[in-house]
Amino acid sequence: MIKYSKHIITVSEYSKKEISDYFGVDKDKISIVYNGVDNKFKPKKLPNQDRYILGVSSVAYHKNIIRLIESFLLLKNNYIKLYIVGSLNKKIYGKESLKIINLAKKNQNIKYLGRVDDDKLIELYSNAVCFVYPSLYEGFGIPPLEAQACGCPIVISDIPVFKEVYANSALFFNPYDPEDMAKKIENIIDSSNMRKELIQKGFKNVKKYTWENSARQFFNILNKVIKND
């Protein structure tokens, strides 16, 4: 498909470089259209909520949820909870799912919520102390943008694509190092000023990523390809 396509559209500079390097494609043949966030993702504060850290993802290996749990267990703060949202299917994800189930059962401060609808997810983003996304690999990564749109500070992996998309609007950690992850989470928990600063930077960052912009960019590329055909 890549060999015979007229043009290729991908979601980040990082993905563009990977496609070009791996398949030997001229970068001029590849354009970027960033993903966006649905307009319904907005802050929805609720009274008397638990203090909790939020993680949202499936339990695929590259999502790195096991290390998120390991880092949570290293936290000095015993009054904060960890909420995990996402699909958990041991037939698909095997031992990784069983590890998470067993770790969650052993700690009353870890709540595995499974899949939730968007309304519930918006509430969870909006009322979390922070959102943690420990992925080892992504082409883009939409959940941190959803969290920012809901006024939640984000703590994420220092992988190249996240540096590209989130720049100075996030706190970064080494996703292979649970101690570094725990340290960065504690920085957020302990500093209301840092949370406020990241929330404001998050609101500013998320304005760049709308589906309207994505659609406009896509059709501009399409028109150029058609004109040059």
Side-chain angles (χ1 to χ4, degrees):
M1 288 175 66
I2 287 173
K3 184 177 179 181
Y4 293 106
S5 64
K6 293 183 181 297
H7 202 78
I8 298 164
I9 297 174
T10 189
V11 292
S12 64
E13 287 283 356
Y14 175 72
S15 293
K16 176 177 177 177
K17 185 178 184 303
E18 284 219 312
I19 293 167
S20 177
D21 291 349
Y22 190 82
F23 294 103
V25 179
D26 189 330
K27 287 185 178 179
D28 290 340
K29 190 182 177 180
I30 308 171
S31 294
I32 298 162
V33 175
Y34 286 114
N35 286 318
V37 177
D38 196 294
N39 290 332
K40 65 185 171 185
F41 284 90
K42 296 175 181 176
K44 186 179 181 181
K45 291 291 185 181
L46 298 176
N48 304 318
Q49 294 292 295
D50 287 337
R51 292 199 84 207
Y52 63 89
I53 297 157
L54 181 64
V56 176
S57 82
S58 66
V59 192
Y61 172 79
H62 72 281
K63 295 295 186 181
N64 205 27
I65 291 296
I66 291 295
R67 286 196 184 94
L68 170 57
I69 293 174
E70 289 173 351
S71 72
F72 177 76
L73 298 175
L74 293 172
L75 296 181
K76 296 171 186 174
N77 189 315
N78 296 320
Y79 301 101
I80 200 154
K81 299 181 187 303
L82 172 63
Y83 289 1
I84 300 174
V85 172
S87 58
L88 190 67
N89 188 330
K90 61 186 178 182
K91 290 181 181 178
I92 299 173
Y93 303 121
K95 293 179 181 179
E96 292 293 309
S97 293
L98 293 175
K99 280 183 189 176
I100 288 177
I101 291 168
N102 291 333
L103 283 169
K105 283 180 179 177
K106 290 176 184 176
N107 192 307
Q108 62 182 5
N109 286 333
I110 299 174
K111 290 188 176 182
Y112 181 74
L113 304 177
R115 294 182 68 85
V116 300
D117 61 28
D118 281 350
D119 288 340
K120 181 64 176 177
L121 185 57
I122 289 165
E123 289 179 6
L124 288 166
Y125 281 137
S126 300
N127 295 280
V129 174
C130 64
F131 173 73
V132 185
Y133 207 57
S135 288
L136 303 174
Y137 176 89
E138 295 284 342
F140 183 85
I142 293 178
L145 276 184
E146 294 175 343
Q148 287 185 328
C150 294
C152 182
I154 62 172
V155 191
I156 58 178
S157 306
D158 61 1
I159 56 178
V161 70
F162 286 172
K163 292 290 188 74
E164 175 188 343
V165 175
Y166 298 100
N168 70 344
S169 69
L171 194 60
F172 294 97
F173 57 76
N174 179 349
Y176 294 95
D177 184 352
E179 289 187 3
D180 186 45
M181 199 186 309
K183 180 181 176 182
K184 299 301 167 55
I185 293 170
E186 283 184 338
N187 288 344
I188 287 283
I189 293 171
D190 295 339
S191 176
S192 60
N193 287 336
M194 183 181 289
R195 287 200 302 277
K196 288 175 184 176
E197 183 180 347
L198 287 176
I199 287 168
Q200 292 308 311
K201 287 181 176 179
F203 283 141
K204 186 177 179 181
N205 184 59
V206 81
K207 287 178 182 177
K208 297 183 288 186
Y209 302 100
T210 69
W211 289 121
E212 289 82 1
N213 285 343
S214 300
R216 195 176 298 112
Q217 290 165 9
F218 177 83
F219 282 110
N220 285 341
I221 294 164
L222 194 61
N223 285 332
K224 284 180 183 178
V225 172
I226 292 168
K227 190 181 290 185
N228 294 331
D229 189 12

